[in-house]
């Protein structure tokens, strides 16, 4: 069987690349969810470049997080990313279009997405192994051109997905507000008026049994009004940000980086009692703590605890992150946790950092509910 000529291979590669771009472009017209879009981006990038693995990353606080991955080389991806982490951050900071680097024995091409509505995102894909034979590896002009087209479409797809999600959220909040207004302005007013009428009738009735029935009806109406007011509050509150949900979402983001799923324990009325400014600081500290666990601890388990106590006014919220790793040396603590300590001090709280008897590290950040 005759080997395929280089021009035939190039034509086949171009055909597959164009199919990947067309498939991603089709997502711009479909009501696809975010998970489908990011998987399509990873799959299309690997098809286009022709290597064993490709992934879509997002970078927050200079920490790359895997959003989607495709290919049989998935298990080698964490080692690759660890080797090129500085280049990933540098590429996004410098505003370059593309970079080709060596990482964990592979040749990787890095290409940022030009998304406007989403956090910084980047495609990383391994080149075919034969490309690594070149002392100065690179991407040929054709693949570079196709990858540039693909990156533009990927950015549009990400932006459209984010815009649709925000639009649906706004529609949901608007609908909840409408229902809450109708309940308050129409239903409660009618029930209140009915209760007043029954109270007026009760004064004109001489039969004790009827009077008792009317009193019971008025009492039931008062209970119904209180229940509806509670429902109105819940409808309006669900449109707000939930700290409980945000903590769990943030922990899930770090699962690919950590290599395991941390245990999350949240106790107390954190959504109702923790003010928004304090919640924002708590999430920032949690992100820093998880980043340190991923980078320095070498841990295999981690526990995240958030609790609220009001035993003493004004109460306080506590965040604890406990891992079973090797710990963090003093130099890293001062550089990595300085901001977390300052966030606590600015709110009138404290941050403590100590080793566990059985090995590992316990970080505790706690601040008053009313700083």
């Amino acid at each position: 069987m005759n080997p395929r000529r280089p021009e035939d291979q190039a034509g086949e590669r171009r055909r597959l690349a164009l199919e990947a771009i067309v498939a991603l472009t089709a997502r711009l017209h479909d009501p696809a969810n975010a998970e489908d879009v990011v998987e399509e981006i990873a799959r299309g990038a690997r098809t286009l470049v022709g290597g064993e693995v490709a992934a879509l990353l997002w970078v927050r606080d200079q920490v790359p997080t895997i959003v989607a991955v495709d290919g049989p080389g998935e298990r080698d991806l964490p080692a690759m990313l660890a080797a090129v982490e500085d280049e990933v951050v540098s590429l996004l900071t410098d505003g370059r279009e593309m970079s080709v680097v060596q990482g964990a024995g592979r040749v990787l091409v890095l290409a940022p997405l030009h998304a406007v509505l989403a956090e910084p995102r980047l495609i990383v894909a391994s080149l075919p192994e034969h490309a690594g034979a070149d002392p100065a590896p690179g991407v040929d002009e054709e693949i570079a051109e196709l990858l540039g087209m693909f990156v533009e479409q990927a950015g549009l797809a990400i932006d459209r997905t984010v815009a649709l999600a925000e639009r649906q959220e706004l529609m949901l909040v608007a609908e909840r507000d409408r229902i809450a207004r109708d309940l308050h302005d129409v239903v409660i007013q009618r029930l209140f008026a009915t209760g007043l009428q029954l109270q007026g009738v009760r004064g004109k009735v001489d039969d004790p049994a009827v009077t008792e029935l009317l009193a019971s009806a008025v009492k039931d109406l008062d209970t119904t009004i209180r229940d509806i007011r509670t429902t109105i509050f819940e409808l309006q509150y669900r449109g707000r940000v939930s700290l409980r949900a945000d903590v769990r979402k943030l922990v899930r983001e770090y699962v690919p980086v950590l290599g395991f799923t941390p245990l999350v324990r949240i106790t107390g009325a954190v959504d109702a009692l923790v003010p928004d400014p304090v919640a924002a600081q708590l999430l920032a500290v949690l992100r820093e703590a998880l980043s340190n666990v991923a980078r320095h601890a070498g841990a295999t388990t981690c526990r995240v605890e958030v609790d609220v106590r009001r035993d003493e006014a004004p109460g306080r919220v506590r965040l604890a992150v406990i891992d079973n790793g090797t710990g963090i040396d003093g130099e890293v603590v001062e550089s990595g946790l300085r901001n977390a300590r300052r966030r606590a001090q600015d709110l009138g709280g404290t941050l403590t950092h100590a080793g566990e008897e059985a090995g590992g590290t316990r970080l505790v950040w706690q601040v008053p509910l009313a700083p």
Side-chain angles (χ1 to χ4, degrees):
M1 183 174 182
N2 295 329
R4 300 181 64 179
R5 295 178 298 176
E7 55 268 27
D8 293 338
Q9 295 177 352
E12 177 67 11
R13 185 172 58 182
R14 184 176 181 84
R15 182 186 67 81
L16 292 174
L18 290 174
E19 287 181 354
I21 293 174
V22 170
L24 184 58
T25 304
R27 291 292 186 186
L28 297 176
H29 305 287
D30 296 335
N33 59 40
E35 185 176 351
D36 292 338
V37 170
V38 297
E39 289 178 355
E40 187 72 49
I41 291 174
R43 183 164 49 250
R46 188 174 78 88
T47 300
L48 193 152
V49 176
E52 288 190 353
V53 63
L56 176 65
L57 314 178
W58 75 339
V59 181
R60 179 179 288 178
D61 295 337
Q62 298 187 346
V63 178
T65 300
I66 301 172
V67 178
V69 62
D70 183 76
E74 178 178 352
R75 67 174 61 184
D76 299 327
L77 189 58
M80 298 181 200
L81 295 182
V84 300
E85 182 175 336
D86 291 341
E87 178 65 16
V88 168
V89 176
S90 174
L91 184 62
L92 293 172
T93 303
D94 298 344
R96 287 176 285 152
E97 296 294 327
M98 193 177 301
S99 178
V100 180
V101 294
Q102 296 275 3
R106 301 288 184 89
V107 182
L108 305 176
V109 56
L110 312 175
L113 268 63
H114 303 290
V116 177
L117 302 179
E119 298 87 350
R121 297 181 186 244
L122 178 141
I123 290 174
V124 55
S126 63
L127 292 174
E129 290 196 5
H130 61 77
D134 189 344
V139 179
D140 61 58
E141 293 184 2
E142 183 180 38
I143 290 297
E145 179 183 356
L146 292 171
L147 186 58
M149 296 169 55
F150 183 81
V151 164
E152 289 183 3
Q153 294 299 311
L156 290 173
I158 290 291
D159 275 344
R160 179 178 183 274
T161 303
V162 172
L164 286 176
E166 291 179 350
R167 179 174 178 269
Q168 291 175 351
E169 180 66 21
L170 288 174
M171 292 175 61
L172 182 60
V173 171
E175 181 65 11
R176 286 172 175 164
D177 285 344
R178 184 193 64 79
I179 295 173
R181 287 195 305 269
D182 289 347
L183 286 174
H184 181 272
D185 296 341
V186 179
V187 179
I188 286 184
Q189 298 304 326
R190 288 178 177 174
L191 290 175
F192 186 73
T194 302
L196 290 177
Q197 292 175 355
L198 291 177
Q199 285 181 330
V201 171
R202 187 177 59 178
K204 301 177 181 179
V205 175
D206 296 329
D207 189 336
V210 176
T211 301
E212 184 177 351
L213 287 174
L214 290 173
S216 177
V218 171
K219 183 178 179 181
D220 289 342
L221 285 174
D222 288 339
T223 301
T224 302
I225 289 174
R226 285 197 299 270
D227 291 343
I228 293 176
R229 290 189 186 277
T230 301
T231 301
I232 291 172
F233 173 79
E234 291 177 351
L235 283 170
Q236 293 174 331
Y237 184 76
R238 286 174 184 171
R240 298 171 56 193
V241 175
S242 167
L243 177 59
R244 185 183 299 269
D246 284 346
V247 167
R248 295 188 181 278
K249 180 181 178 182
L250 178 56
V251 170
R252 286 197 299 270
E253 290 177 11
Y254 276 84
V255 169
V257 180
L258 293 168
F260 58 87
T261 301
L263 175 66
V264 179
R265 294 176 179 170
I266 302 176
T267 56
V270 296
D271 288 341
L273 297 179
V274 179
D276 290 344
V278 175
Q281 299 299 321
L282 184 147
L283 292 172
V285 172
L286 175 58
R287 184 177 297 280
E288 177 64 37
L290 292 175
S291 296
N292 281 330
V293 173
R295 289 177 174 178
H296 311 296
T300 57
T301 63
C302 178
R303 188 169 75 252
V304 175
E305 299 176 352
V306 179
D307 59 73
V308 169
R309 293 184 181 177
R310 302 194 67 184
D311 45 4
E312 294 181 4
R316 62 109 176 107
V317 58
R318 182 186 74 102
L319 165 68
V321 179
I322 305 102
D323 66 72
N324 69 340
T326 56
I328 306 175
D329 60 40
E331 181 180 354
V332 172
V333 170
E334 289 307 313
S335 62
L337 299 180
R338 186 182 297 112
N339 289 339
R341 182 174 288 109
R342 184 177 300 126
R343 293 177 192 276
Q345 293 172 349
D346 289 345
L347 296 172
T350 60
L351 180 141
T352 59
H353 182 270
E356 292 282 89
E357 292 184 1
T361 304
R362 174 185 293 266
L363 180 146
V364 179
W365 184 89
Q366 55 183 344
V367 299
L369 291 174

